[in-house]
Amino acid sequence: MALGTVNRAVGLEIDSGKARAVELTGNRNAYKLAGLGSAALPQEAVKEGMIQQPRIVGGSLKELWSGAGLKERKVILGISNQGVLVRHITVPKVPADKLANMIRFQAQDHLPIPLEGVVLDYLVLGESVEKEAETEQLEVLLVGARRDMLDKFLEALEVADLEPLDIDVSSMAQISLLPPRALQMTVAMVNVANGLSSIVISAYGKPRLARLGMVKIIDLAESLNCTLEEVLEPHVLRQDGAADKLRQWGSNLAGEIRSSLTYFQDQHSEYRVEGVLLSGRGALFGGLTAKLEEYLALPVRLFNPLEVFSPSRRRLLESDIEAAEYAISAGLALRGLGG
């Protein structure tokens, strides 16, 4: 992403039941929190990361901007759903001015839908040498997003009088927030959302695996016979049978994470996952971090993207732990800043 000298950016995440936004000012090396907020969405308006009712979502975004006092109306929009296809591919090394055409030429071999229905983007991860032919190759992260799915997001933004400055894969946005030490490691970043969760593995600051998770909070809410807004309420979690349901849900999540870690290690024996960073609304469940740490036999830490900010700005939330819910929108905002 090359956004020039942008010095104010808003990252926007649209999840099932809730939209979240974070506004940052400054540049990528020295930034400040200018504002944040969230707005409830009707449960049927967004399903598994896909907007079903653009005008209703747009109306809620209007309320979010007004209620949170956000100033910037150009946003970095994060999207993560089944309509976004992420592939790691290799292509022959060619001059920079020919690379886009090369990737587009090869993309159809890696995507299951016609290219005319897809918006393509890519990120060069590095270079390698194909041993048998002794030719230089580029390792590329290829992203294809379905146009019909994107159109509904763009319609919602238009209703809210917002403009997309850029569109990113939201599940990978958190990498921009990693502290220096984590950028020298291989870490799994797990965002547990109301809708589809996500698992991204960052090896030395580069995304090496990106997967959507099928374990989501909305399923737990349905099993507890409560709304998404109520699922974290103590009176819901104290009802008969709730502890067992929460325990089973946590076990399913742990199994899904372990499956992804095993797949990654099988494919990339040169890396070793050293820890897990947990974010999203699901990170707010008490005891989940400890349960995952025990099951995965790896350090699991809550990912708090606001810990670098002053206490006065963090008071926009009731507690520091709530910052984990804003990891994706904060990451999107940071990627939107210049410098």
Side-chain angles (χ1 to χ4, degrees):
M1 182 193 308
L3 298 180
T5 57
V6 173
N7 58 15
R8 180 181 289 271
V10 174
L12 174 62
E13 176 197 14
I14 300 176
D15 188 10
S16 296
K18 184 175 282 192
R20 307 176 186 90
V22 169
E23 185 170 24
L24 300 178
T25 59
N27 59 60
R28 295 184 193 180
N29 298 314
Y31 51 90
K32 296 180 180 179
L33 177 65
L36 61 75
S38 65
L41 301 172
Q43 192 162 309
E44 64 277 7
V46 180
K47 293 185 178 180
E48 296 193 343
M50 294 190 182
I51 293 180
Q52 308 296 314
Q53 299 173 337
R55 303 198 69 80
I56 290 176
V57 172
S60 294
L61 293 179
K62 273 188 175 181
E63 295 176 6
L64 169 54
W65 252 249
S66 174
L70 302 177
K71 296 180 180 179
E72 181 57 61
R73 304 200 71 82
K74 294 181 179 180
V75 304
I76 312 299
L77 174 64
I79 297 179
S80 188
N81 57 45
Q82 299 285 5
V84 179
L85 307 170
V86 180
R87 301 287 188 268
H88 285 78
I89 67 173
T90 58
V91 300
K93 186 177 181 181
V94 296
D97 60 344
K98 298 180 186 292
L99 182 58
N101 285 337
M102 170 63 74
I103 290 173
R104 185 167 186 85
F105 177 75
Q106 296 212 5
Q108 189 62 82
D109 293 337
H110 300 276
L111 300 177
I113 54 179
L115 290 186
E116 54 266 28
V118 175
V119 176
L120 289 179
D121 199 2
Y122 65 91
L123 173 68
V124 176
L125 299 175
E127 298 183 15
S128 62
V129 176
E130 208 287 314
K131 293 182 180 179
E132 292 184 6
E134 295 186 351
T135 57
E136 292 182 297
Q137 304 277 317
L138 293 178
E139 301 174 53
V140 174
L141 183 76
L142 175 67
V143 179
R146 287 176 45 179
R147 290 183 185 274
D148 55 349
M149 175 271 297
L150 286 176
D151 286 344
K152 292 185 178 181
F153 279 86
L154 297 178
E155 182 182 348
L157 293 186
E158 184 177 3
V159 170
D161 297 320
L162 300 174
E163 180 182 340
L165 186 62
D166 205 353
I167 299 174
D168 255 323
V169 180
S170 60
S171 59
M172 291 189 284
Q174 299 175 86
I175 294 177
S176 63
L177 292 166
L178 287 174
R181 182 167 176 264
L183 291 173
Q184 302 303 314
M185 303 168 61
T186 299
V187 296
M189 311 183 75
V190 179
N191 186 272
V192 187
N194 287 337
L196 291 177
S197 299
S198 63
I199 302 169
V200 171
I201 295 182
S202 165
Y204 298 88
K206 294 182 178 180
R208 292 292 177 179
L209 180 141
R211 275 186 165 184
L212 293 176
M214 295 298 108
V215 178
K216 42 193 180 287
I217 298 174
I218 194 169
D219 290 341
L220 177 62
E222 289 177 0
S223 73
L224 294 173
N225 196 29
C226 69
T227 67
L228 273 170
E229 286 298 306
E230 295 172 326
V231 73
L232 285 163
E233 294 293 331
H235 74 274
V236 171
L237 298 177
R238 285 197 299 264
Q239 65 185 355
D240 290 344
D244 289 339
K245 291 176 181 177
L246 181 58
R247 190 178 301 112
Q248 183 60 54
W249 179 84
S251 295
N252 292 341
L253 176 64
E256 191 168 66
I257 296 170
R258 186 161 71 177
S259 174
S260 292
L261 298 184
T262 300
Y263 173 81
F264 173 78
Q265 298 289 191
D266 288 344
Q267 299 295 313
H268 298 279
S269 58
E270 69 273 29
Y271 300 117
R272 182 175 64 85
V273 177
E274 299 171 74
V276 176
L277 294 173
L278 187 67
S279 64
R281 191 162 178 243
L284 278 58
F285 284 109
L288 182 60
T289 300
K291 180 179 181 62
L292 292 177
E293 188 167 86
E294 178 183 2
Y295 186 89
L296 300 172
L298 284 171
V300 179
R301 301 290 180 267
L302 193 70
F303 191 34
N304 179 356
L306 303 187
E307 62 186 354
V308 299
F309 299 114
S310 66
S312 63
R313 299 309 296 168
R314 294 205 304 270
R315 290 194 191 104
L316 290 166
L317 296 169
E318 293 183 6
S319 67
D320 276 2
I321 192 174
E322 289 184 47
E325 188 175 346
Y326 289 86
I328 283 179
S329 45
L332 290 165
L334 183 54
R335 291 178 70 167
L337 291 180

